[in-house]
Amino acid sequence: MIHLASDAESTPSQTLLDRMAQAFSPEGVLAKSPDFEYRPQQQRMAKIVGKALETTRAVVIEAATGVGKSLAYLLPSVTFALEHNRKAIITTHTINLQEQLIQKDLPIVQKLVPRTFRAELLKGRGNYLCPQRLERAVKGAPDLFTSSEQAELQLIWEWSQKTQDGSLSTLDFTPTPKVWSMVCSEAHVCTPRRCGSTRCFYQAVRRRMAEADVLVMNHSLFFSMLSSSEETLPEDANFLFPNDFLIVDEAHTIENVASRAYGLAVSESNIRFELQRLYNPKTRKGYFPHQGDSVGSRAVTDAMDAADIFFRAVEASSVFTHQQSREFRVREPGLVEDTLSVPLHRVMERARAAGDGASSENSRLELHDLARRLIALRQSIATFLDQSEEDHVYWVERNQGDTRHSMTLRSAPIDVSRQLGTLFFRGDRPCILTSATLGTGGSNGLDYFKKRVGADTTVGVSIASPFDFEKQMKLYLVKSIPPPGSKEHEAALPKWISHFLDISKGRAFVLFTSFAQMNRVAEEMEEYFEDRGWTLLVQGKQLSRSRLLEEFRKDTHSVLFGTESFWTGVDVPGEALSNVIITKLPFAVPDHPLTAARLEHIEENGGNSFMEYSVPEAILKLRQGIGRLIRSKRDSGICAILDNRVLTKPYGRTFLSALPQCPVEVVSDAKSK
């Protein structure tokens, strides 16, 4: 085993910055690995992180693809955590990166540091089985579950006897939400006092969490733990734990994750779900029948009828003027009469009373926990109807994929920069925000991101990619294509897409901003793909995102048509992906209430919303989309932008200047190569 801090390599007087400079140097400890490749960009980032940790400062780092940012922040972070008895919290947006950190990167770091450290991947408590709740559910099964649900419960019981971690992801089938909700860990029911001395998987996670030196979690869970009423943050916590520090990877998503975390969501389906745990009129199962509480069962039936009336009134309200839209903004309080809060309150009172009179403490805890959930739902409905949260935008969302329409009431803060500035950049506490794409180009490229997250006075650093884009990539621009938004533009897309696919022999991502347009173009081009014998993979057509990527990697000349989720977080190195075609500059459609409210907020404060929000957001997304192409020093390929605004509009130069410096060819004829 090789170590970072051997006597021959460092002295106690050396700063962490100095030791990181040495570790990532051509002669450093990392160079002893045959897989190591010296990258001055990676060394620079490790030094910046080391200095920020040692001086207890925050820093924003854009580290382009190829820098090797994971190791550049992990090695100084683990070293700092071990030497100062501090806990490193690392949050990411995607599960793929979390698994990479735990399974690949942190084991590498373990070989480099002199002490063994503990790292844990943390999931939300609802992902873990609580054996005590499972045992109670099995005992009450005839009153709580239908026969098919009891069969599921039996399978979970059998799995519980052999599972090592009790995590839902290791269960070999997908239980129904109701069954899992009755056996998973829940606050106020699965507690250290009640489950701490048992074989409770979540309480075991809590113990490991307290002992761990490094915790890896997703952004949503981080915000959930910050606001959780069940977690009392210690006085000496910088963020979640005593004396901890924070690394936020994939930080480009943090604004939108925070907006959801600080907002509210009340769905019709969730209200029904919670009520049916107490009593399901169709199956006549639930906690109230289990307690022999017929009055409570009738209260649930009344509340479910009230929920239907309430949400049908929401659906019929004036906000639903464009029936094709999914989201509908609510600008004034009192959208509909609150006919639901009183029935929910009656069920809540009955659940609390049933809990008080329960013969066992277990039943009391379950019923009281459901009462708390109903209180929270009722309060959220009142907040939405009264619009009592200032500087929030409110909207109604029609959920897709339901056999019947199901509505969700939502709100979000329009600007989270103040909250995030206080959270991440207040005072002397180490906090690193990093991502491959944060900047919008130019010398002040990070200013946009820093302003959005409240980091105006925080140091920002852009570290360029070590890739040679002049040799690895070529960019094609099409000036003669009709302007986007016109019928002529969509009609021209198949011709231009086929032109660039012929250059790369398939092996391409074709990225759209409209799901409907993607499907129309895919249908139009079916014959083209049949003639060439290439497989066309289309997002949303049967296969999941992960299966689409798997098929794309296996099929040498396949072409993948994708929208939103394929612009970011997708890694396909090698020849399988040799071409990225952008059908349209990815401007956010301002019909989403949150986007529209952000634009209005900028205008109301005297700004130019197009140049201050729409253009920077589109640049970031374009950089992410084009960034799918070159993932290693061995990759090469082409990109094509089928939107002439990069050439005809004044802001087009801003887009082009933010892209990698590579050969550019302006094409006017689809037959030319």
Side-chain angles (χ1 to χ4, degrees):
M1 181 180 291
I2 53 179
H3 294 317
L4 169 67
S6 66
D7 293 337
E9 292 176 343
S10 65
T11 64
S13 61
Q14 282 188 304
T15 66
L16 189 56
L17 181 154
D18 292 335
R19 285 184 287 159
M20 290 304 108
Q22 188 179 65
F24 284 88
S25 71
E27 301 79 27
V29 65
L30 280 157
K32 296 176 183 178
S33 167
D35 298 324
F36 176 72
E37 177 184 332
Y38 170 64
R39 285 169 280 186
Q41 298 88 350
Q42 186 181 46
Q43 183 188 45
R44 182 187 177 202
M45 180 173 175
K47 290 163 58 180
I48 293 168
V49 173
K51 182 178 180 180
L53 293 177
E54 210 155 47
T55 58
T56 62
R57 298 294 182 185
V59 65
V60 172
I61 307 173
E62 179 185 63
T65 304
V67 167
K69 64 180 168 62
S70 298
L71 276 179
Y73 65 68
L74 284 177
L75 185 56
S77 294
V78 171
T79 302
F80 185 73
L82 292 176
E83 292 179 352
H84 297 273
N85 193 29
R86 303 183 70 158
K87 193 184 299 289
I89 301 174
I90 301 171
T91 79
T92 81
H93 186 63
T94 62
I95 185 66
N96 289 342
L97 180 53
Q98 293 161 43
E99 291 174 346
Q100 175 194 313
L101 294 174
I102 289 291
Q103 297 170 11
K104 178 186 174 185
D105 297 331
L106 283 165
I108 292 174
V109 173
Q110 181 63 83
K111 296 177 181 178
L112 303 175
V113 295
R115 283 171 45 198
T116 300
F117 66 88
R118 299 190 61 169
E120 288 288 335
L121 175 60
L122 190 60
K123 306 174 188 177
R125 70 184 305 150
N127 287 281
Y128 296 97
L129 178 73
C130 175
Q132 284 216 89
R133 293 194 78 215
L134 174 62
E135 184 177 342
R136 297 196 292 270
V138 169
K139 288 180 180 177
D143 292 331
L144 297 172
F145 302 100
T146 64
S147 58
S148 62
E149 290 168 345
Q150 289 181 53
E152 280 189 22
L153 201 63
Q154 179 61 32
L155 292 174
I156 293 174
W157 176 268
E158 293 172 2
W159 166 74
S160 74
Q161 303 304 302
K162 56 189 178 184
T163 180
Q164 296 299 308
D165 66 356
S167 171
L168 178 60
S169 63
T170 63
L171 186 56
D172 58 5
F173 74 98
T174 303
T176 57
K178 176 195 170 181
V179 172
W180 184 253
S181 73
M182 305 279 267
V183 299
C184 68
S185 176
E186 283 190 353
H188 310 294
V189 179
C190 175
T191 64
R193 183 177 67 83
R194 293 191 52 76
C195 299
S197 60
T198 68
R199 182 177 172 259
C200 180
F201 298 103
Y202 181 69
Q203 297 306 325
V205 167
R206 283 180 62 97
R207 289 191 291 271
R208 293 198 303 271
M209 185 168 61
E211 297 166 358
D213 303 292
V214 180
L215 284 178
V216 179
M217 65 182 73
N218 68 34
H219 298 334
S220 295
L221 179 58
F222 172 76
F223 281 106
S224 176
M225 293 180 69
L226 272 178
S227 61
S228 175
S229 60
E230 66 178 287
E231 303 284 354
T232 302
L233 301 183
E235 289 184 2
D236 57 346
N238 284 316
F239 299 97
L240 298 175
F241 300 94
N243 213 23
D244 59 4
F245 61 95
L246 183 65
I247 311 289
V248 180
D249 202 343
E250 299 180 312
H252 61 279
T253 64
I254 204 72
E255 180 188 7
N256 286 330
V257 174
S259 293
R260 290 193 296 272
Y262 293 136
L264 65 82
V266 184
S267 72
E268 181 176 2
S269 58
N270 184 242
I271 288 174
R272 289 185 168 277
F273 179 80
E274 299 294 357
L275 289 171
Q276 287 175 357
R277 290 172 67 181
L278 289 164
Y279 175 64
N280 187 327
K282 290 183 179 179
T283 64
R284 301 181 184 277
K285 305 292 184 180
Y287 281 113
F288 281 150
H290 183 58
Q291 296 294 110
D293 188 348
S294 58
V295 175
S297 297
R298 285 196 298 274
V300 168
T301 302
D302 292 342
M304 292 181 71
D305 290 341
D308 190 59
I309 292 170
F310 175 79
F311 282 102
R312 298 294 71 75
V314 169
E315 190 172 16
S317 66
S318 59
V319 293
F320 284 85
T321 54
H322 305 290
Q323 293 302 313
Q324 298 304 311
S325 299
R326 188 181 171 197
E327 297 93 5
F328 305 89
R329 188 170 177 182
V330 182
R331 294 182 177 271
E332 301 293 336
L335 172 66
V336 296
E337 183 183 354
D338 187 357
T339 55
L340 184 52
S341 287
V342 171
L344 285 179
H345 184 75
R346 288 173 181 153
V347 176
M348 179 276 296
E349 286 186 320
R350 197 66 207 177
R352 182 180 287 166
D356 291 340
S359 57
S360 70
E361 185 182 6
N362 294 332
S363 295
R364 179 182 66 80
L365 289 168
E366 297 283 358
L367 287 161
H368 281 180
D369 189 54
L370 280 166
R372 289 188 191 94
R373 292 169 181 270
L374 293 174
I375 291 172
L377 287 169
R378 182 173 59 79
Q379 290 172 339
S380 293
I381 290 170
T383 298
F384 180 90
L385 292 177
D386 296 342
Q387 298 198 357
S388 53
E389 289 284 356
E390 294 185 7
D391 300 321
H392 278 227
V393 58
Y394 295 83
W395 72 95
V396 179
E397 186 173 285
R398 190 198 307 269
N399 301 330
Q400 296 177 331
D402 295 324
T403 54
R404 52 173 286 168
H405 288 159
S406 177
M407 319 308 294
T408 300
L409 313 179
R410 292 191 181 275
S411 82
I414 297 169
D415 182 357
V416 293
S417 61
R418 180 179 55 80
Q419 292 102 313
L420 293 184
T422 301
L423 172 62
F424 294 137
F425 311 111
R426 172 177 56 83
D428 295 337
R429 52 189 193 177
C431 178
I432 315 295
L433 271 69
T434 185
S435 179
T437 310
L438 295 177
T440 57
S443 58
N444 299 317
L446 291 180
D447 285 358
Y448 172 73
F449 173 78
K450 288 168 59 179
K451 182 178 180 181
R452 300 300 305 177
V453 299
D456 303 73
T457 60
T458 301
V459 172
V461 181
S462 289
I463 301 178
S465 173
F467 299 153
D468 187 349
F469 291 103
E470 290 281 353
K471 294 180 180 178
Q472 292 180 258
M473 172 180 156
K474 184 173 183 178
L475 176 65
Y476 290 93
L477 307 176
V478 181
K479 190 171 185 177
S480 59
I481 194 169
S486 65
K487 292 181 180 179
E488 292 78 12
H489 179 265
E490 182 172 317
L493 285 178
K495 176 184 72 172
W496 283 105
I497 291 170
S498 61
H499 170 75
F500 290 111
L501 290 181
D502 285 340
I503 293 176
S504 63
K505 304 286 190 296
R507 302 183 298 176
F509 276 4
V510 184
L511 300 178
F512 293 80
T513 60
S514 162
F515 195 82
Q517 184 181 75
M518 176 188 70
N519 284 321
R520 289 193 298 268
V521 174
E523 187 175 345
E524 179 77 17
M525 295 187 67
E526 283 180 358
E527 187 175 336
Y528 166 86
F529 286 100
E530 289 174 4
D531 289 345
R532 283 157 180 75
W534 299 343
T535 301
L536 173 60
L537 302 166
V538 183
Q539 182 182 353
K541 299 280 189 178
Q542 298 178 326
L543 296 181
S544 66
R545 182 174 182 267
S546 58
R547 282 292 309 281
L548 279 173
L549 285 171
E550 184 182 334
E551 291 299 317
F552 180 80
R553 290 187 180 103
K554 287 193 303 185
D555 195 331
T556 312
H557 295 283
S558 61
V559 176
L560 193 153
F561 280 20
T563 57
E564 182 74 24
S565 62
F566 284 94
W567 287 75
T568 64
V570 178
D571 194 7
V572 186
E575 291 187 1
L577 179 57
S578 299
N579 184 0
V580 173
I581 299 174
I582 307 293
T583 58
K584 183 181 177 184
L585 294 179
F587 285 106
V589 181
D591 61 357
H592 190 285
L594 183 54
T595 302
R598 286 172 174 170
L599 297 175
E600 290 172 12
H601 179 70
I602 292 170
E603 295 288 341
E604 289 167 359
N605 286 277
N608 181 327
S609 61
F610 182 71
M611 293 305 298
E612 293 178 29
Y613 183 85
S614 299
V615 168
E617 284 290 318
I619 288 173
L620 286 170
K621 192 167 182 182
L622 179 64
R623 291 186 64 208
Q624 290 160 356
I626 288 179
R628 300 310 97 208
L629 181 66
I630 306 299
R631 309 300 294 177
S632 76
K633 286 191 173 182
R634 294 178 296 277
D635 287 350
S636 63
I638 65 172
C639 284
I641 300 177
L642 309 185
D643 188 330
N644 64 2
R645 289 177 293 182
V646 294
L647 295 168
T648 62
K649 297 293 184 181
Y651 58 77
R653 292 189 297 272
T654 310
F655 279 87
L656 295 178
S657 66
L659 300 181
Q661 296 299 305
C662 68
V664 178
E665 181 177 336
V666 179
V667 184
S668 57
D669 184 353
K671 294 181 181 179
S672 66
K673 297 286 180 74

